[in-house]
């Protein structure tokens, strides 16, 4: 099923006599707007008007291009759950067969900052910022799904819902300390995947036990007794920083009182990061639990988890201006959050599309960024039409 066909399955909430534009056309126009680098509804509308004759080859457009206000009202009325389903189905059908063995699926939340609304005269009309939890394939740099939550503290209940959308058999799921929960571990194992969870204060008992365990001198005798594997990564140099990471993984868990409370718990681990920046030195310790029993896989999973911050959240903010989108100008609190969440899904659909295609143009620049591809789509008709054909 193509993306356009998936969008056509979304239920139209509008009254029949009020439908001047096809729902799928409106959503496709928003997608095209982001393909060409638009930042707000006015730009999306203006770009669509410029490309109207060409767009008629792919869209119905019975009454021309919808206004910016019409686009806004439609995005405020669509059920976000249906868009989330479209994202998951499209990502899996397009990229599912390309997922490498033991791919890292990083799960993390992001708050869309400017989607909050505060009414100082009537607090009941205020609304917290929209928050979404995403699943991101680290090496592929593809978002395979997301669910929305009311706030960050609700990630614990959102993660199982997100896992239900995903095909993760044979993959490794990484989650930060917020999602370090026994039921989430059980769900991941039920879906025949592995997990790696960061440890912090929200799991105080096991966090302190693992921390105390690795505070011992890690000499040869101690390592052999508890079957501790170790791995030192190469020194990295970045922005005047020299960093060395040492990974330790303990697979003998007889000493751990909570070992049977976590489904298929295979090991506990520690990462020691030693940094030197402009002559100043610092050492940081991080701890985790995992169903993995290989230190190399655990180290890869621990390191790869941060790809969701660098290659998804950062791109949404810097390339798509998500936190500065003019959705903040909507003064209806509930509309603001719904539109922000739905736009977040559409941006991820566009990111996946642009990540997955190589535009057919002659250019000296290789490995084009998403921003480069957006520029090509806005400036080169062949590039835009090729991207549209992939939809």
């Amino acid at each position: 099923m193509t993306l356009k066909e998936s969008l056509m399955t979304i239920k139209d909430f509008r009254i029949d006599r009020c439908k001047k534009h096809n729902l799928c056309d409106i959503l496709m126009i928003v997608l095209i707007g982001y393909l060409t680098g638009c930042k707000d509804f006015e730009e999306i509308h203006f770009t669509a008007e410029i490309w109207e004759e060409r767009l008629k080859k792919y869209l119905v457009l019975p009454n021309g291009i919808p206004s910016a206000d019409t686009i806004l009202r439609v995005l405020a009325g669509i059920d976000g759950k249906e868009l989330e389903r479209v994202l998951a189905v499209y990502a899996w059908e397009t990229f599912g067969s390309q997922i490498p063995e033991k791919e890292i699926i990083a799960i993390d939340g992001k708050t869309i900052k400017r989607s909050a609304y505060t009414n100082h005269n009537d607090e009941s009309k205020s609304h917290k910022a929209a928050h979404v939890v995403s699943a991101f394939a680290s090496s592929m740099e593809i978002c395979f799904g997301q669910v929305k939550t009311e706030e960050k503290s609700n990630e614990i209940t959102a993660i199982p819902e997100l896992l239900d959308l995903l095909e993760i058999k044979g993959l490794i799921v990484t989650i930060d300390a917020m999602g370090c929960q026994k039921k989430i571990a059980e769900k991941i194992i039920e879906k025949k995947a592995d997990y790696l969870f960061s440890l912090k204060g929200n799991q105080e008992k096991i966090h302190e036990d693992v921390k105390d365990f690795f505070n011992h001198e890690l000499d040869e005798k101690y390592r052999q007794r508890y079957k501790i594997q170790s791995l030192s990564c190469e020194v990295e140099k970045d922005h005047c920083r020299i960093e060395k990471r040492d990974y330790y993984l303990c697979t003998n868990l007889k000493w751990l009182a909570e070992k049977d409370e976590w489904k298929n718990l295979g090991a506990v681990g520690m990462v020691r990061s030693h940094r030197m920046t402009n002559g100043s030195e610092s050492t940081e310790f991080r701890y985790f639990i995992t169903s993995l029993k290989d230190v190399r896989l655990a180290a890869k999973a621990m390191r790869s988890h941060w790809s969701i911050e660098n290659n998804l959240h950062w791109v949404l903010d810097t390339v798509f201006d998500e936190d500065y989108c003019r959705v903040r100008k909507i003064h209806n609190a509930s509309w603001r959050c719904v539109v922000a969440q739905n736009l977040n899904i559409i941006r991820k659909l566009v990111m996946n599309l642009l990540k997955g295609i190589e535009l057919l143009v002659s250019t000296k620049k290789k490995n084009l960024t998403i921003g480069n591809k957006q520029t090509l789509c806005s400036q080169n008709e062949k590039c835009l039409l090729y991207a549209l054909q992939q939809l």
Side-chain angles (χ1 to χ4, degrees):
M1 183 183 292
T2 65
L3 179 54
K4 185 176 179 181
E5 290 170 340
S6 295
L7 292 173
M8 291 175 69
T9 66
I10 294 177
K11 183 179 179 181
D12 196 335
F13 64 93
R14 299 172 296 170
I15 302 171
D16 287 340
R17 61 182 172 80
C18 298
K19 297 178 185 177
K20 294 183 179 180
H21 306 278
N22 292 344
L23 180 63
C24 183
D25 282 355
I26 294 173
L27 294 175
M28 288 290 289
I29 285 171
V30 178
L31 278 165
I32 291 164
Y34 281 115
L35 273 174
T36 54
C38 296
K39 307 295 185 184
D40 56 50
F41 297 117
E42 286 75 18
E43 284 187 43
I44 290 171
H45 169 73
F46 182 68
T47 300
E49 283 193 323
I50 293 174
W51 291 91
E52 182 173 357
E53 292 305 314
R54 299 175 182 89
L55 293 180
K56 285 180 178 178
K57 299 176 184 178
Y58 300 92
L59 308 178
V60 180
L61 301 178
N63 292 294
I65 302 298
S67 68
D69 287 341
T70 297
I71 295 172
L72 170 61
R73 286 194 298 270
V74 167
L75 285 172
I78 289 177
D79 183 356
K81 294 290 183 185
E82 294 197 55
L83 268 178
E84 289 172 356
R85 174 183 52 78
V86 167
L87 172 63
V89 170
Y90 172 71
W92 179 255
E93 291 190 355
T94 306
F95 304 103
S97 61
Q98 304 171 29
I99 299 178
E101 185 179 0
K102 296 295 182 182
E103 171 67 310
I104 313 301
I105 303 296
I107 293 179
D108 196 21
K110 179 184 186 295
T111 299
I112 306 172
K113 297 177 182 177
R114 299 298 177 92
S115 62
Y117 179 70
T118 302
N119 188 317
H120 297 288
N121 298 321
D122 187 353
E123 290 189 5
S124 66
K125 295 181 180 180
S126 299
H127 204 288
K128 293 182 179 179
H131 191 80
V132 294
V133 181
S134 307
F136 189 70
S138 298
S139 69
M140 300 176 70
E141 298 185 5
I142 296 295
C143 180
F144 276 90
Q146 75 150 65
V147 293
K148 63 181 180 181
T149 67
E150 291 302 318
E151 53 188 83
K152 185 173 178 62
S153 61
N154 289 352
E155 284 187 21
I156 295 171
T157 56
I159 291 172
E161 184 182 345
L162 177 57
L163 290 170
D164 284 334
L165 293 173
L166 306 175
E167 296 285 345
I168 57 173
K169 182 179 179 180
L171 308 181
I172 302 170
V173 178
T174 64
I175 309 177
D176 63 14
M178 175 71 77
C180 182
Q181 304 291 328
K182 295 166 188 174
K183 289 185 178 180
I184 293 175
E186 185 175 353
K187 192 169 193 68
I188 292 170
I189 296 301
E190 285 175 357
K191 294 180 76 76
K192 299 182 179 180
D194 285 295
Y195 62 83
L196 185 145
F197 299 156
S198 295
L199 279 176
K200 284 187 180 178
N202 62 320
Q203 293 290 343
E204 185 175 0
K205 183 66 170 66
I206 191 171
H207 179 229
E208 288 301 319
D209 286 349
V210 172
K211 187 176 179 180
D212 290 343
F213 175 81
F214 283 108
N215 275 343
H216 192 281
E217 183 180 353
L218 300 175
D219 54 26
E220 189 65 26
K221 183 178 179 180
Y222 193 72
R223 293 189 194 185
Q224 288 182 357
R225 179 182 177 185
Y226 291 103
K227 298 180 180 178
I228 299 176
Q229 306 170 41
S230 62
L231 175 70
S232 294
C233 73
E234 295 181 1
V235 174
E236 299 181 7
K237 296 181 180 179
D238 185 27
H239 301 295
C240 301
R241 182 184 69 182
I242 301 175
E243 182 171 353
K244 181 182 179 183
R245 299 186 192 90
D246 297 308
Y247 296 87
Y248 299 92
L249 194 73
C250 172
T251 55
N252 180 353
L253 301 179
K254 293 180 180 179
W255 55 272
L256 185 63
E258 302 90 343
K259 63 181 182 298
D260 295 326
E261 298 177 17
W262 297 83
K263 188 76 170 180
N264 281 27
L265 181 61
V268 299
M270 177 183 75
V271 186
R272 179 174 61 202
S273 301
H274 184 76
R275 299 186 184 93
M276 181 178 291
T277 307
N278 297 325
S280 176
E281 296 187 42
S282 64
T283 302
E284 179 186 9
F285 298 89
R286 286 174 286 147
Y287 305 91
F288 60 89
I289 61 173
T290 180
S291 61
L292 300 168
K293 295 185 178 182
D294 184 302
V295 68
R296 292 185 179 277
L297 271 179
K300 177 186 175 184
M302 194 71 178
R303 182 60 179 160
S304 297
H305 178 77
W306 297 106
S307 64
I308 192 169
E309 291 286 351
N310 299 329
N311 300 324
L312 179 63
H313 298 166
W314 185 84
V315 172
L316 287 170
D317 284 339
T318 58
V319 177
F320 292 92
D321 281 354
E322 180 162 85
D323 281 343
Y324 294 93
C325 177
R326 290 187 181 179
V327 69
R328 67 184 185 272
K329 290 187 175 181
I330 303 171
H331 297 299
N332 182 303
S334 59
W335 273 36
R336 178 180 289 207
C337 272
V338 172
V339 172
Q341 290 160 351
N342 287 341
L343 285 178
N344 176 268
I345 301 170
I346 291 173
R347 292 183 190 108
K348 287 170 181 170
L349 285 168
V350 172
M351 282 183 62
N352 285 355
L353 172 64
L354 292 176
K355 284 285 185 180
I357 64 171
E358 289 299 329
L359 297 177
L360 303 178
V361 295
S362 175
T363 176
K364 295 180 180 179
K365 190 174 181 64
K366 297 181 180 179
N367 300 320
L368 295 175
T369 66
I370 287 179
N372 293 150
K373 290 180 179 180
Q374 285 180 311
T375 301
L376 283 172
C377 286
S378 67
Q379 301 293 327
N380 189 307
E381 181 178 353
K382 289 182 179 179
C383 289
L384 178 61
L385 295 183
Y386 177 73
L388 291 177
Q389 288 168 359
Q390 311 310 305
L391 299 174

